[in-house]
Amino acid sequence: MINIEKRTLSNGLRVVVHVDKSTPLAAVNVLYNVGSKNENPNKTGFAHLFEHLMFGGSKNIPSYDAPLQMVGGDNNAWTSCDITNYYLTLPATNLETGFWLESDRMLELDFSEQSLEVQRKVVIEEFKQRYLNQPYGDIPLLLSPLAYKVHPYMWPTIGKDIAHIENATLDDVKSFFYSHYAPNNAVLSVSGNVDPAKVFQLAEKWFGPIPHRQLEEHQIQAEPKQTEKRQLEVERNVPADMIHKVFHIGARMDDDFYAVDLLSDILSNGPSARMNQSLVKEQQLFSEVNAYISGDHHPGLFTVTGRILPGVGMEKAEKAIQVELDRMTSKVVNDYELQKVKNKIESSLVFSEISFLNKAMNLASFELLGKAENINSEVDKYQAVSAQDILNSAQKTFTANNSSTLYYRSSK
Amino acid sequence: MNINRTTAPEFKNIDSFELLPIETYELNNGIKVHLMQAGSQEVAKLDFLFPAGSVQASQPLLASITNKALSEGTVSMSGAEISEKIDFYGAFIGQQASFHHSVVTLVALTHFLPETLKILEDIIKNPVFEQKEIDTLLNKRKQEYLIESDKVKTLATRAFTQNLYGKEHPYGNYLTMDDFEKLTREDVINFHKQAYIPSGTHIIISGQPGSNIKELLNTHFGQHWSDEQPLKDPQPQNKEDVLRNIFVEKNDALQSSIKIGIPLFSKEHPDFHGMQILNAVLGGFFGSRLMTKIREEKGLTYGISSFIMTYKFGGFLVIGSDVKAENRELAVKEIFNEIKKLRDERIGNEELALVRNFLLGDMIRNFDGPFATSDNYRGLIDESLSPAYFNEFFDVLTSITAEELQNLAQKYFQETDFITVIAGK
């Protein structure tokens, strides 16, 4: 059971605190409710570019990193299609430095042409390094637009085109900041060796004066139900064929999230999972297989993927995957197998609670999606899933007209 | 309330470092146990380090395939049954071969330790190494090797270590497609027999393993089960023909991967701690000179960093970055400029304080809790060092001067000693 105390400031900032006295450190996590799904289709990759700019100095503090490093702290950030998450850890005695730094960049960034110029280049190199210059790197760029035709999940977080990043202007940056970065669009979570009363006092002191901001009202169009089987085939200079199949599923907060998650675990979580045993070990068709869900805030994707061994061929590999999916849609899992994946979930949750930083990130995310306290009912929600629920989810998910398949062929 | 946002709040310096207490004892057969008992979760991690690393193995792939194949079937259980049971207990088994040891790791909820340790005993003592399982592992490894061979970063790294250590010694990381054909089941069985033995084996326990852990370990691993003594782990030969410039061509590459480095020494060398700090100044963290200059000022790369790799015998420092081809020369020039600056000018007080404080904070993070501590401790055993190493580093870190750092730069950062490797177009 994770202890939680929380409060909302008058400007709308939600503050969540978790005390863990086993560490001498503290974590400060600021989650902004903005990701690539909030981008303009002609200015994609912006949320992520913006994450880089958040380290280029703020209104009153020219450098973000140096003052934090000076007090023994470290930090990083990541952007997804739904959120942008900034986190730092430092010795708990120096907690206030974290509040000073994070509040100043929420108050106002130092919008500088120089910083934009440099980070544009850095992000373009990141684009190349991660997506273009390594084998299989462009798969997200191919799959997202195949599965989504309307919803902004159709472009990956890095953006759909390098040109969008090259063309970003300082005005774009400013307007993005004021329409998304606001206390009323963020969650602050603090964990570690801290005193909640002191945390609330620091939050009031540093974040309290930041004005509530009018957020951009931007209606995101829902993805219409897919009604036809989709397929895409590419050939690349890579050593092995790969197959990716994706299916539309529900959103993170939908009731059947837990059943769908367990469905993916039955297929591939752990060496004894069905796909690992059947496709890798017994039939020796793949060197590696995987099944996972995206867990996105809006309706997301169920991915089934595998790297195919030489001489097998795409068609045979796909058929073998299909057999496993058909097993899931035609027969309920037995009690033993269901208990196994539930046990695995339970121990994974215990392991994830070892890190105070993990807890801060998870708490912020749960608070954004509903309430932080929900973190403590996760195990029960997984335990409540029945074999019939999993069968229902499989039947709903694994239909041909709900699938998009990418054949990634090796030209070697 | 009026607050001053332009001045940093007051802060405290880190002035002490305390390593979690490490209890050591021996099992009945002499296996050394190192226990770090702490943490608020009922979870334990056990690392078994056998003298079965790639240096002891007589040929490439032997150590890693033997290590991975352990859990693919025993005299009493098939590989499928083993993974079925481990998964049912919600536990994880990790397997990894390093240079001087091979590691088998068990992570489990404390109350499942009796069941899971019994399975682990079987895996370690009675594997059958079926040909089919070895083939599956080799096929997977071969595909991974080919995929890795498509990355400029990997090509540059391999060229760098081969240049330093040659093709014969495992430190050189030299592997060919032929090696995949040469490895036989016989080799694996023999290596297991000679290297997965009580003598020279360590068990590192972290977390809350329960009060009966010693008895449990003695039951499963404390008997005499082999007379073998550890295989030799030879030092690499001194290589005469180290090249200063290497270019590995890859025509379809969008970026070039740069590795610039110098041979150094193992952690036992008296200058090692100082070099760690000098490395941090140069490229060892986000606020380092290389990151500031090459990424944050010039935007030439997504990332640049330097690190010191050490082995039981020797070590090196290497700077790595991926840049677009037309910026390659510029990036190399800027890197050597930063190296020269460290030789020519003393580091300012503010910068030294920043690096010192950041590294102190990093130490606290790296030793936060039993699991982080055991990960760091494990590295020491591979290099036959005692935990006093960490306290010595702390002492050097809190006391080193700008003058000492400049002396180190002049001693070790001579331009003619550097090796430059480029992979790409």
Side-chain angles (χ1 to χ4, degrees):
Chain A
M1 180 85 163
I2 294 180
N3 65 72
I4 296 165
E5 289 197 42
K6 60 186 210 186
R7 196 167 289 183
T8 303
L9 306 187
S10 58
N11 57 15
L13 179 68
R14 288 168 272 179
V15 186
V16 185
V17 186
H18 163 68
V19 180
D20 179 349
K21 293 281 181 192
S22 73
T23 171
L25 299 163
V28 177
N29 187 84
V30 185
L31 180 164
Y32 290 94
N33 185 21
V34 56
S36 58
K37 77 167 182 290
N38 306 98
E39 293 163 346
N40 176 325
N42 303 313
K43 288 175 184 174
T44 66
F46 225 82
H48 169 252
L49 172 66
F50 200 85
E51 174 211 314
H52 280 247
L53 296 171
M54 282 286 275
F55 294 90
S58 53
K59 189 172 170 36
N60 302 291
I61 310 173
S63 157
Y64 175 90
D65 289 303
L68 182 63
Q69 287 153 358
M70 190 58 105
V71 305
D74 197 11
N75 71 88
N76 214 331
W78 47 266
T79 309
S80 74
C81 51
D82 296 312
I83 62 170
T84 313
N85 193 70
Y86 300 84
Y87 59 93
L88 63 87
T89 59
L90 38 51
T93 46
N94 297 335
L95 183 64
E96 187 158 7
T97 305
F99 278 80
W100 170 62
L101 288 165
E102 288 300 340
S103 65
D104 203 52
R105 61 182 182 176
M106 185 185 286
L107 179 70
E108 194 179 320
L109 265 197
D110 170 27
F111 300 105
S112 96
E113 199 61 71
Q114 148 79 10
S115 171
L116 175 61
E117 171 75 32
V118 169
Q119 292 308 320
R120 258 197 307 246
K121 285 197 218 162
V122 170
V123 170
I124 289 167
E125 289 308 305
E126 180 181 359
F127 199 127
K128 289 185 195 155
Q129 189 172 322
R130 288 195 183 191
Y131 297 88
L132 306 180
N133 201 34
Q134 63 169 333
Y136 310 102
D138 61 342
I139 287 175
L141 304 171
L142 298 166
L143 264 181
S144 306
L146 188 63
Y148 292 98
K149 299 299 171 192
V150 171
H151 191 279
Y153 286 166
M154 77 170 88
W155 56 84
T157 308
I158 193 77
K160 65 178 161 194
D161 192 340
I162 288 185
H164 290 183
I165 296 158
E166 284 169 341
N167 297 332
T169 68
L170 207 54
D171 279 343
D172 294 333
V173 170
K174 278 187 196 167
S175 89
F176 194 83
F177 181 81
Y178 287 109
S179 47
H180 298 292
Y181 279 70
N184 42 310
N185 204 33
V187 179
L188 166 69
S189 61
V190 178
S191 68
N193 201 331
V194 297
D195 165 23
K198 176 77 182 164
V199 171
F200 293 130
Q201 188 201 328
L202 287 172
E204 194 60 63
K205 173 179 172 185
W206 291 103
F207 288 90
I210 302 171
H212 177 280
R213 286 180 189 132
Q214 187 64 44
L215 302 175
E216 184 189 82
E217 297 281 337
H218 173 61
Q219 214 49 38
I220 293 175
Q221 258 189 297
E223 182 70 18
K225 190 176 160 56
Q226 185 178 334
T227 52
E228 79 295 329
K229 187 176 163 184
R230 294 176 191 157
Q231 228 164 283
L232 176 67
E233 187 163 342
V234 297
E235 197 176 273
R236 297 281 189 271
N237 186 21
V238 291
D241 291 341
M242 232 184 144
I243 184 168
H244 270 252
K245 286 179 97 71
V246 296
F247 302 88
H248 290 280
I249 52 170
R252 176 64 180 87
M253 294 307 281
D254 286 358
D255 289 339
D256 69 353
F257 170 83
Y258 301 91
V260 181
D261 196 18
L262 289 176
L263 173 61
S264 72
D265 288 350
I266 288 166
L267 287 170
S268 93
N269 187 11
S272 75
R274 290 183 180 191
M275 283 174 41
N276 297 335
Q277 280 303 322
S278 163
L279 306 180
V280 178
K281 292 283 165 66
E282 286 161 28
Q283 302 180 61
Q284 310 234 4
L285 302 172
F286 294 84
S287 63
E288 198 179 298
V289 288
N290 214 341
Y292 53 90
I293 60 168
S294 59
D296 295 330
H297 294 185
H298 288 185
L301 296 176
F302 191 116
T303 303
V304 181
T305 162
R307 198 150 59 213
I308 303 166
L309 284 171
V312 173
M314 196 67 78
E315 293 65 28
K316 191 172 174 193
E318 186 179 18
K319 264 191 197 135
I321 287 180
Q322 194 56 49
V323 169
E324 290 306 318
L325 300 184
D326 290 344
R327 270 179 77 198
M328 293 299 327
T329 56
S330 58
K331 201 160 171 270
V332 289
V333 293
N334 65 31
D335 292 345
Y336 164 82
E337 196 174 12
L338 184 57
Q339 196 53 51
K340 178 180 79 175
V341 289
K342 287 180 179 178
N343 288 351
K344 231 172 146 58
I345 287 270
E346 195 166 347
S347 61
S348 302
L349 289 171
V350 174
F351 298 150
S352 77
E353 287 174 14
I354 291 170
S355 151
F356 69 98
L357 173 60
N358 258 351
K359 287 186 278 189
M361 285 190 200
N362 290 337
L363 285 171
S365 166
F366 276 100
E367 178 65 20
L368 178 74
L369 283 166
K371 57 180 203 283
E373 290 81 356
N374 284 341
I375 199 168
N376 287 321
S377 47
E378 285 290 281
V379 171
D380 293 342
K381 286 176 181 164
Y382 281 105
Q383 289 295 0
V385 173
S386 70
Q388 187 61 42
D389 294 334
I390 292 177
L391 183 70
N392 294 346
S393 295
Q395 288 171 347
K396 191 172 148 193
T397 307
F398 299 142
T399 67
N401 285 349
N402 190 35
S403 73
S404 302
T405 305
L406 172 66
Y407 300 124
Y408 200 96
R409 289 189 195 272
S410 157
S411 60
K412 281 185 182 171
Chain B
M1 187 172 25
N2 233 336
I3 49 169
N4 181 356
R5 289 190 183 271
T6 53
T7 318
E10 285 189 20
F11 70 95
K12 286 203 184 102
N13 278 321
I14 296 162
D15 51 14
S16 65
F17 169 71
E18 268 178 71
L19 193 64
L20 257 164
I22 301 168
E23 188 193 329
T24 56
Y25 55 84
E26 287 187 1
L27 297 187
N28 297 337
N29 58 2
I31 288 183
K32 289 176 193 64
V33 178
H34 314 252
L35 170 65
M36 278 148 264
Q37 188 171 351
S40 42
Q41 268 78 20
E42 290 295 303
V43 177
K45 179 161 86 94
L46 291 93
D47 292 307
F48 290 71
L49 278 68
F50 296 97
S54 55
V55 182
Q56 286 98 343
S58 49
Q59 65 184 97
L61 296 169
L62 179 57
S64 63
I65 295 294
T66 306
N67 177 259
K68 287 267 188 293
L70 288 171
S71 57
E72 300 299 339
T74 68
V75 286
S76 60
M77 282 185 288
S78 70
E81 283 170 311
I82 293 167
S83 52
E84 197 61 59
K85 286 188 174 159
I86 291 292
D87 278 346
F88 189 80
Y89 294 122
F92 296 90
I93 288 186
Q95 286 144 281
Q96 195 192 359
S98 61
F99 289 105
H100 297 274
H101 287 98
S102 271
V103 188
V104 180
T105 301
L106 171 70
V107 183
L109 299 176
T110 307
H111 63 273
F112 285 137
L113 280 181
E115 291 86 349
T116 48
L117 278 171
K118 189 162 174 264
I119 300 169
L120 207 67
E121 177 188 5
D122 200 25
I123 289 173
I124 285 166
K125 293 184 186 168
N126 312 311
V128 287
F129 298 120
E130 275 179 41
Q131 187 65 51
K132 184 182 173 214
E133 304 293 352
I134 292 173
D135 290 342
T136 307
L137 289 169
L138 278 172
N139 282 335
K140 183 177 158 89
R141 182 76 179 77
K142 196 193 287 178
Q143 212 178 65
E144 284 163 0
Y145 173 77
L146 289 172
I147 291 167
E148 278 302 314
S149 304
D150 257 1
K151 299 179 183 169
V152 283
K153 200 182 287 245
T154 310
L155 295 176
T157 303
R158 284 182 194 158
F160 186 86
T161 52
Q162 278 160 32
N163 182 41
L164 274 190
Y165 298 107
K167 293 178 176 175
E168 299 303 319
H169 198 273
Y171 291 174
N173 280 318
Y174 184 71
L175 187 64
T176 66
M177 291 306 283
D178 283 349
D179 294 321
F180 289 92
E181 314 305 323
K182 279 186 203 147
L183 188 76
T184 68
R185 179 171 178 246
E186 232 60 62
D187 298 333
V188 171
I189 290 172
N190 283 333
F191 186 62
H192 171 260
K193 192 160 161 269
Q194 293 174 308
Y196 285 80
I197 54 173
S199 176
T201 289
H202 297 262
I203 302 174
I204 305 172
I205 313 170
S206 50
Q208 295 291 359
S211 53
N212 64 339
I213 187 65
K214 190 170 178 177
E215 290 75 42
L216 258 181
L217 288 176
N218 264 323
T219 304
H220 295 294
F221 300 97
Q223 310 93 333
H224 178 79
W225 88 70
S226 167
D227 285 326
E228 299 276 346
Q229 285 304 306
L231 293 162
K232 286 206 178 72
D233 51 351
Q235 292 201 31
Q237 304 272 315
N238 267 339
K239 203 162 163 275
E240 305 287 320
D241 54 342
V242 173
L243 303 170
R244 295 295 146 202
N245 284 288
I246 297 176
F247 180 70
V248 186
E249 191 168 331
K250 187 169 190 301
N251 267 324
D252 60 348
L254 272 178
Q255 288 174 315
S256 300
S257 187
I258 304 173
K259 303 280 167 200
I260 295 177
I262 39 160
L264 280 180
F265 28 68
S266 75
K267 288 194 172 82
E268 281 172 304
H269 193 281
D271 284 337
F272 182 77
H273 294 309
M275 287 306 288
Q276 278 284 69
I277 298 160
L278 186 64
N279 173 67
V281 176
L282 176 66
F285 73 118
F286 204 91
S288 69
R289 290 187 175 188
L290 288 174
M291 198 67 170
T292 306
K293 189 75 179 188
I294 317 279
R295 171 173 148 148
E296 294 298 301
E297 278 177 31
K298 306 242 164 193
L300 294 177
T301 180
Y302 174 52
I304 181 162
S305 62
S306 66
F307 75 99
I308 297 179
M309 172 77 192
T310 59
Y311 308 100
K312 188 173 170 185
F313 311 117
F316 59 82
L317 177 148
V318 69
I319 299 155
S321 186
D322 293 354
V323 301
K324 60 178 167 185
E326 65 256 42
N327 281 339
R328 193 170 71 203
E329 313 275 299
L330 179 60
V332 171
K333 193 174 135 237
E334 293 289 349
I335 290 169
F336 278 107
N337 266 343
E338 292 305 320
I339 291 168
K340 181 171 186 299
K341 256 193 239 161
L342 287 171
R343 286 194 309 261
D344 293 352
E345 298 159 30
R346 258 182 218 174
I347 297 163
N349 288 338
E350 174 108 358
E351 185 181 2
L352 181 55
L354 186 144
V355 171
R356 201 193 310 272
N357 289 354
F358 173 76
L359 289 179
L360 286 167
D362 217 36
M363 265 194 103
I364 305 293
R365 272 185 290 278
N366 287 335
F367 291 90
D368 183 31
F371 302 106
T373 304
S374 82
D375 286 345
N376 284 290
Y377 185 71
R378 197 171 98 179
L380 290 190
I381 291 184
D382 207 43
E383 297 179 44
S384 306
L385 291 165
S386 85
Y389 165 84
F390 297 124
N391 296 303
E392 287 158 22
F393 179 67
F394 181 83
D395 291 342
V396 175
L397 183 55
T398 45
S399 63
I400 200 161
T401 64
E403 190 184 354
E404 289 169 309
L405 286 169
Q406 190 184 9
N407 289 342
L408 288 172
Q410 289 172 352
K411 191 167 167 188
Y412 297 110
F413 281 177
Q414 286 307 320
E415 203 144 323
T416 47
D417 293 338
F418 276 88
I419 295 159
T420 302
V421 180
I422 307 234
K425 217 172 355 185

